């Protein structure tokens, strides 16, 4: 192998370039490996996980993966040991063609958090391609009149390898007529020619068979051969010649068809037809040239006949023959190098990869959302691309590598304010005028459980009639959660507590999904007037958030208790005062002795009764039964009963005609709908004895008359005051209830179906109370006269469903 001075200079330049490239890569901060082409499957490339500072145990959980713009199956990573190895055959010539530099750019992506590493794997050339000639046989026509030292161009071989593996040396088979001439062109290509060393004699040797061998400088060396068939022609001894052997032309891409590239002019020293020249493309010109150019055979003008694209081909090498019309014709040769100049005719390309969506609203500043790569097929400033982002908040673009950007979070997110963002990435090149492209990125904000369920109001007032059906719906609570999906799915539950001796859950329950509140058992107002409890609303987030609402359930009274007769206060031991019957309308017996000299209007006995209900349902009235109201013989009855007091008084003075034993039936009735009653039997014994009272006084046998009269006056005064107070509060109650009713959510209601009606407490009040309240506040008026156990309650006219 012969290395010329030019070859040594080229090797030094190549070595210097490789050293500069290595220095640049070392300073770039990116991981670099190298691997020879044609390496076997499994060939070790590098410990990529260790070099990137990643633990082997986190490769799988963090979704370690490697991507490449080129063929993605060439290299692979073993996730068990973090080694990068060859996965399939790497052909450098297929991958990079004739480029001196050939690298596979890898993007190593791991998540949780998202990280991106750029790895460059240099593919080193090996001498796996022998020199190849374009044809198996080259024919050379030489006139016998050509003088020694005449040069005849030959088509050299090409080697798909690069570097020293592609540097070729030529050797011609031994002969006495021809030698090989090798020259370097301005484009660093080698031009070979056949040099005539001795005059030819067609009559002696009309044809010469030679072999041309090309050898590269790889290790081991590879060779290629071609057969040269030299045909010796006769006569025309002057061939056309060009002013120079090589012409260089520059033209912009996308030039119009018919544009003249160059006009060639060859000369021939012969005269006549031997000096007439015709121009043509050499027979070895490839189709890529003939498809883009044509030549005028008469003028030598080379014009464009197809679109020139710098990005596809930027250099055309055209071999031109100038042939005279002599017999035989002679040809001159030259080479035209057409260099295509770049124009800014390619719009930048944007590629979005590794979108990490949706983005949680509590994501930290700097969170990587997407990777963006841009490219432009143009060169120079026309291919330099810059990226921008709109809108600017709360995101921004960070340049991570040449033509690589990261879309990162640059502000706080609130899904409840903005659920998604439409971003526009604009890539603009540096051409004049510049071209740009846009890509839309839809960033959805992922919900975080940062909002607790909220009720419309902190407290609700509910009115339910007593004796409701078990399991009836009494109210519906509803809370709204501003979050989404599971974080907004609200579940309702009772805040458990004790109600007396029983648990709250034995009275009411709440449906976990709908928020409907149900009464589990009939409610008894006489036992429980107000049931106050809290309902909790809790979402399904992690951790869950919740809030409470208070429900005040007022139990409305129904007339479900009949008047109950009370025993009289214990007087003298005899005659015995008895009591019989019970709740629900039993009969009671009151026994009393009365002096015959009692005058008209004297109180002689009292019937006492209570009603466990309240309001009108507990307002009692007393009346004598018809059979007891009339005296024997049709005379007017000697006794009457107070309508609201139950006091039995005389209507006239008693006389001897009155029977010694008087039996009265007193009907006690409440004001409910329908009214409930009880009957009391009053037995009076008329006795003679004792001094008659003065005319100005009233004598009552039994309880003291004076104390009774005073207590009765006090009761009437209290009733008047109570009625005025109840009437005053009635309007206020209606206004408050109407406001609560209007603000209550849908679904609120009592158990009783049917049209709404107005339920009012008694304007007079109740003279009775539940047994529990009687125990708390029972007392007497005067001597033996019961005092009302509860004064008139506040009016409550309420709309009940």
């Amino acid at each position: 192998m012969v290395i010329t001075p030019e070859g040594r200079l080229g090797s030094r330049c190549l070595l210097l370039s490789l050293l500069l490239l290595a220095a640049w890569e070392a300073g770039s901060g990116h991981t670099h490996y190298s691997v020879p082409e044609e390496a076997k499957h499994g060939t070790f490339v590098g410990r990529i996980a260790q070099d990137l500072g990643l633990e082997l145990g986190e490769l799988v959980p963090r979704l370690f993966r490697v991507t490449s713009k080129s063929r993605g199956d060439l290299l692979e990573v073993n996730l068990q040991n973090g080694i990068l190895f060859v996965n399939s055959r790497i052909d450098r010539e297929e991958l990079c063609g004739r480029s001196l530099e050939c690298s596979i750019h890898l993007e190593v992506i791991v998540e949780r958090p998202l990280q991106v590493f750029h790895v460059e794997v240099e593919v080193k050339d090996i001498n796996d391609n022998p020199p190849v000639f374009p044809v198996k046989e080259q024919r050379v026509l030489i006139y016998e009149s050509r003088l020694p030292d005449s040069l005849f161009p030959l088509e050299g071989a090409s080697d798909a390898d690069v570097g020293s593996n592609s540097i070729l040396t030529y050797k011609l088979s031994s002969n006495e007529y021809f030698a090989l001439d090798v020259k370097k062109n301005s484009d660093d290509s080698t031009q070979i020619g056949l040099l005539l060393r001795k005059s030819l004699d067609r009559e002696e040797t009309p044809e010469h068979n030679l072999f041309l061998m090309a050898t590269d400088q790889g290790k081991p060396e590879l060779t290629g051969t071609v057969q040269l068939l030299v045909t010796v022609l006769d006569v025309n001894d002057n061939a056309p010649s060009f002013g120079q052997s090589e012409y260089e032309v520059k033209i912009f891409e996308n030039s119009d068809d018919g544009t003249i590239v160059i006009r060639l002019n060859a000369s021939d020293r012969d005269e006549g037809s031997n000096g007439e020249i015709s121009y043509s493309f050499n027979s070895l010109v490839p189709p890529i040239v003939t498809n883009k150019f044509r030549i005028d055979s008469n003028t030598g003008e080379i014009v464009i006949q197809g679109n020139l694209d710098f990005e596809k081909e930027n250099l055309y090498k055209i071999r031109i023959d100038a042939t005279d019309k002599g017999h035989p014709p002679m040809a001159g040769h030259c080479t035209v190098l057409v260099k295509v100049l770049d124009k800014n005719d390619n719009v930048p390309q944007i590629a979005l990869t590794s979108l990490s969506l949706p983005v949680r609203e509590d994501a930290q500043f700097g969170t990587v959302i997407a990777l963006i790569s841009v490219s432009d097929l143009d060169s120079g400033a026309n291919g330099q691309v810059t990226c921008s982002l709109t809108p600017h908040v709360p995101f921004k673009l960070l340049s991570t590598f040449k033509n690589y950007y990261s879309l990162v979070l640059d502000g706080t997110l609130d899904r409840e304010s903005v659920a998604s963002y439409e971003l526009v990435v604009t890539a603009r090149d540096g051409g004049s005028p510049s071209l740009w492209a846009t890509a839309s990125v839809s960033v959805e904000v992922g919900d975080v459980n940062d909002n607790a369920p909220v009720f419309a109001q902190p407290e609700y007032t509910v009115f339910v009639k007593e004796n409701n059906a078990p399991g009836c719906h009494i109210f519906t609570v509803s809370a709204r959660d501003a979050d989404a999906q599971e974080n907004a799915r609200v579940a309702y539950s009772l805040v458990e507590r004790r109600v007396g001796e029983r648990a709250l859950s034995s009275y009411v329950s709440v449906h976990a999904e709908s928020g409907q509140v149900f009464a589990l058992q009939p409610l008894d107002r006489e036992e429980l007037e107000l049931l106050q409890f809290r309902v909790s609303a809790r979402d399904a987030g992690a951790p869950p958030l919740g809030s409470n609402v208070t429900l005040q359930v007022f139990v409305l009274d129904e007339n479900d208790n009949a008047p109950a007769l009370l025993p009289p206060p214990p007087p003298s031991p005899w005659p015995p005062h008895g009591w019989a019957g019970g709740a629900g309308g039993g009969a009671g017996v009151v026994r009393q002795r009365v002096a015959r000299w009692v005058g008209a209007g004297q109180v002689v006995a009292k019937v006492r009764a209570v009603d466990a209900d309240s309001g009108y349902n507990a307002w009692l009235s007393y009346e004598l039964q018809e059979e007891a109201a009339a005296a024997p013989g049709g005379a007017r009855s000697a006794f009457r009963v107070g309508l609201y007091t139950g006091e039995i008084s005389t209507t006239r003075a008693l006389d001897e005609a009155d029977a010694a034993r008087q039996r009265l039936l007193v009907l006690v009735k409440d004001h409910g709908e329908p009214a409930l009653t009880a009957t009391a039997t009053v037995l009076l014994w008329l006795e003679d004895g004792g001094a008659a009272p003065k005319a100005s006084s009233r004598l009552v046998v039994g309880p003291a008359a004076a104390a009774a009269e005073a207590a009765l006056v006090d009761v009437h005064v209290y009733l008047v005051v109570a009625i005025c107070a109840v009437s005053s509060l009635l309007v206020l109650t209606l206004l408050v209830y109407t406001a609560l009713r209007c603000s209550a959510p849908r679904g609120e209601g009592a158990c009783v179906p049917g049209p709404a009606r107005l339920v009012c407490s008694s304007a007079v009040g109740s003279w009775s109370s539940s047994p529990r309240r009687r125990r708390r506040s029972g007392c007497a008026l005067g001597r033996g006269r019961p005092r009302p156990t509860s004064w008139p309650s506040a009016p409550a006219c309420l709309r009940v469903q």
Side-chain angles (χ1 to χ4, degrees):
M1 178 178 65
V2 179
I3 301 178
T4 63
E6 292 82 2
R8 294 191 187 94
L9 181 59
S11 299
R12 292 172 182 171
C13 293
L14 178 61
L15 180 59
L16 181 59
S17 299
L18 292 175
L19 290 174
L20 289 175
L21 178 62
W24 177 84
E25 291 173 343
S28 65
H30 295 83
T31 306
H32 180 273
Y33 300 105
S34 63
V35 63
E37 66 171 329
E38 304 296 340
K40 294 182 179 180
H41 173 76
T43 299
F44 173 87
V45 178
R47 299 184 182 276
I48 188 170
Q50 177 180 347
D51 295 339
L52 295 178
L54 300 176
E55 296 294 336
L56 295 179
E58 64 181 7
L59 296 184
V60 174
R62 293 187 65 186
L63 302 180
F64 180 95
R65 59 188 185 275
V66 176
T67 62
S68 173
K69 284 189 176 181
S70 57
R71 288 179 53 190
D73 59 345
L74 297 179
L75 300 172
E76 189 58 65
V77 176
N78 187 329
L79 298 181
Q80 302 300 321
N81 54 25
I83 291 177
L84 180 67
F85 63 92
V86 176
N87 186 48
S88 60
R89 175 178 173 269
I90 302 177
D91 188 347
R92 185 187 186 282
E93 288 69 36
E94 179 183 351
L95 190 64
C96 301
R98 297 286 300 168
S99 176
L100 291 177
E101 298 177 5
C102 184
S103 297
I104 300 174
H105 294 277
L106 304 177
E107 289 182 1
V108 179
I109 303 171
V110 292
E111 298 184 357
R112 305 170 187 168
L114 181 63
Q115 289 182 283
V116 181
F117 304 92
H118 295 278
V119 177
E120 182 179 12
V121 179
E122 179 185 5
V123 180
K124 293 186 175 181
D125 183 57
I126 65 172
N127 193 27
D128 59 338
N129 290 282
V132 177
F133 289 90
V135 293
K136 294 182 180 180
E137 182 182 275
Q138 291 191 32
R139 291 183 173 272
V140 182
L141 303 177
I142 302 177
Y143 290 103
E144 63 177 349
S145 59
R146 296 298 294 266
L147 300 175
D149 296 329
S150 295
L151 184 63
F152 303 93
L154 298 175
E155 189 68 18
S158 61
D159 195 321
D161 297 319
V162 296
S164 61
N165 295 329
S166 65
I167 298 176
L168 304 180
T169 58
Y170 296 90
K171 183 178 180 181
L172 188 64
S173 59
S174 178
N175 68 94
E176 62 178 322
Y177 292 97
F178 300 97
L180 196 61
D181 180 79
V182 180
K183 292 181 180 180
K184 282 286 185 179
N185 291 329
S186 60
D187 61 343
D188 211 28
S189 62
T190 302
Q191 181 174 343
I192 61 174
L194 195 62
L195 183 64
L196 183 62
R197 296 192 302 180
K198 181 180 178 181
S199 298
L200 298 175
D201 187 358
R202 178 183 176 278
E203 286 71 24
E204 180 179 353
T205 309
E207 192 175 74
H208 298 266
N209 291 323
L210 306 175
F211 287 92
L212 178 61
M213 181 173 63
T215 305
D216 61 26
Q217 295 185 10
K219 293 182 180 180
E221 296 178 348
L222 299 178
T223 62
T225 60
V226 65
Q227 185 179 11
L228 302 178
L229 295 179
V230 180
T231 302
V232 181
L233 303 178
D234 201 16
V235 205
N236 195 10
D237 57 346
N238 286 292
S241 61
F242 293 93
Q244 56 193 70
S245 61
E246 184 180 281
Y247 297 88
E248 182 177 305
V249 181
K250 296 179 180 179
I251 190 168
F252 281 101
E253 65 176 335
N254 302 325
S255 296
D256 297 335
D257 285 0
T259 300
I260 298 175
V261 178
I262 191 175
R263 177 176 292 177
L264 298 174
N265 185 21
S267 60
D268 194 326
R269 290 180 295 173
D270 296 329
E271 294 181 352
S273 60
N274 291 333
E276 295 178 5
I277 300 173
S278 176
Y279 301 91
S280 64
F281 291 137
N282 189 272
S283 60
L284 299 178
V285 169
I288 190 174
V289 173
T290 58
N291 291 336
K292 299 295 182 181
F293 304 93
R294 68 175 183 271
I295 188 170
D296 190 307
S297 59
N298 295 321
T299 63
E301 290 179 351
I302 299 177
V303 297
I304 298 174
Q305 68 172 4
N307 183 53
L308 300 181
D309 190 350
F310 172 86
E311 287 70 36
K312 293 182 179 180
E313 192 71 35
N314 57 18
L315 177 65
Y316 295 90
K317 186 176 181 180
I318 307 175
R319 300 288 294 273
I320 304 297
D321 292 341
T323 307
D324 61 20
K325 297 181 180 180
H327 298 284
M330 299 185 69
H333 312 278
C334 75
T335 301
V336 178
L337 295 177
V338 180
K339 293 185 177 181
V340 181
L341 303 180
D342 182 48
K343 292 183 70 175
N344 192 25
D345 61 339
N346 288 281
V347 176
Q349 302 294 320
I350 303 175
L352 299 175
T353 59
S354 302
L355 290 174
S356 181
L357 297 175
V359 181
R360 288 170 56 93
E361 59 180 322
D362 62 348
Q364 300 296 321
F365 281 31
T367 299
V368 179
I369 299 169
L371 301 179
I372 301 172
S373 61
V374 294
S375 60
D376 195 313
L377 296 177
D378 295 322
S379 63
N382 296 332
Q384 294 177 358
V385 182
T386 56
C387 279
S388 60
L389 178 69
T390 54
H392 298 293
V393 289
F395 306 97
K396 68 178 180 180
L397 286 177
L398 291 179
S399 178
T400 58
F401 190 61
K402 181 181 179 182
N403 292 338
Y404 286 90
Y405 294 85
S406 293
L407 177 62
V408 299
L409 182 62
D410 192 39
T412 57
L413 299 176
D414 184 11
R415 190 203 65 83
E416 288 70 42
S417 299
V418 182
S420 64
Y421 293 87
E422 294 297 329
L423 307 179
V424 177
V425 178
T426 303
R428 187 181 300 272
D429 61 27
S432 180
S434 62
L435 300 177
W436 69 89
T438 60
S440 297
V441 182
S442 180
V443 179
E444 181 181 354
V445 181
D447 185 52
V448 173
N449 192 25
D450 55 351
N451 289 279
V454 177
F455 291 94
Q457 57 191 67
E459 183 177 284
Y460 294 94
T461 300
V462 184
F463 299 90
V464 181
K465 284 189 176 182
E466 64 175 333
N467 303 321
N468 55 280
C472 75
H473 171 229
I474 62 175
F475 193 71
T476 299
V477 294
S478 178
R480 179 184 176 275
D481 196 310
D483 295 319
Q485 298 177 352
E486 289 299 311
N487 295 331
R489 185 164 59 85
V490 179
Y492 302 93
S493 63
L494 287 177
V495 179
E496 188 62 79
R497 69 177 185 90
R498 304 293 294 178
V499 181
E501 298 180 355
R502 300 170 59 181
L504 173 65
S505 56
S506 65
Y507 286 96
V508 292
S509 69
V510 60
H511 193 276
E513 295 181 0
S514 66
Q516 292 181 326
V517 181
F518 300 93
L520 299 180
Q521 62 182 11
L523 299 176
D524 187 357
R525 185 186 183 280
E526 289 69 45
E527 176 185 346
L528 185 66
E529 294 184 9
L530 171 63
L531 180 60
Q532 182 170 319
F533 58 94
R534 290 188 298 166
V535 175
S536 173
R538 190 166 295 272
D539 59 32
L545 301 177
S547 61
N548 296 335
V549 67
T550 300
L551 265 67
Q552 296 190 71
V553 179
F554 288 91
V555 182
L556 302 180
D557 184 57
E558 284 196 329
N559 193 25
D560 58 345
N561 290 279
L565 298 174
L566 297 177
S572 59
W574 194 94
H577 293 270
W579 166 257
V589 179
V590 177
R591 297 177 178 88
Q592 184 68 47
R593 290 181 299 174
V594 181
R596 283 186 178 272
W597 44 256
V598 172
Q602 297 297 317
V603 176
V604 297
K606 181 177 177 66
V607 176
R608 298 192 309 161
V610 295
D611 196 314
D613 296 320
S614 64
Y616 272 97
N617 296 329
W619 186 22
L620 303 181
S621 62
Y622 305 83
E623 62 183 49
L624 289 176
Q625 294 287 74
E626 292 182 0
E627 60 269 19
R636 187 167 64 95
S637 174
F639 302 96
R640 65 183 177 186
V641 63
L643 180 61
Y644 299 117
T645 64
E647 295 177 338
I648 299 174
S649 60
T650 57
T651 60
R652 58 180 173 80
L654 302 179
D655 54 28
E656 295 295 332
D658 293 317
R661 183 175 181 272
Q662 298 286 333
R663 182 176 182 271
L664 305 177
L665 294 178
V666 179
L667 180 66
V668 184
K669 181 172 62 174
D670 61 25
H671 284 71
E673 293 182 4
L676 301 178
T677 62
T679 303
T681 302
V682 180
L683 298 178
L684 300 178
W685 283 269
L686 305 183
E687 296 180 347
D688 296 325
K694 297 180 179 179
S696 60
S697 64
R698 295 180 181 179
L699 177 62
V700 177
V701 179
E709 291 288 342
L712 183 60
V713 172
D714 291 341
V715 168
H716 284 293
V717 172
Y718 293 144
L719 285 175
V720 172
V721 173
I723 290 173
C724 294
V726 168
S727 301
S728 302
L729 294 175
L730 176 60
V731 176
L732 178 61
T733 304
L734 286 174
L735 293 176
V736 172
Y737 179 74
T738 302
L740 291 175
R741 187 70 176 177
C742 293
S743 63
R746 293 185 178 180
E748 176 181 349
C751 299
V752 181
R757 66 187 182 89
L758 193 64
V759 178
C760 299
S761 65
S762 172
V764 176
S766 173
W767 288 94
S768 61
S769 67
S770 66
R772 182 177 300 138
R773 288 195 297 170
R774 286 199 299 271
R775 288 194 295 271
R776 289 199 306 264
S777 58
C779 62
L781 291 175
R783 294 185 303 176
R785 176 169 295 175
R787 188 183 185 90
T789 56
S790 64
W791 296 110
S793 59
C797 292
L798 307 177
R799 182 79 54 183
V800 181
Q801 298 294 330

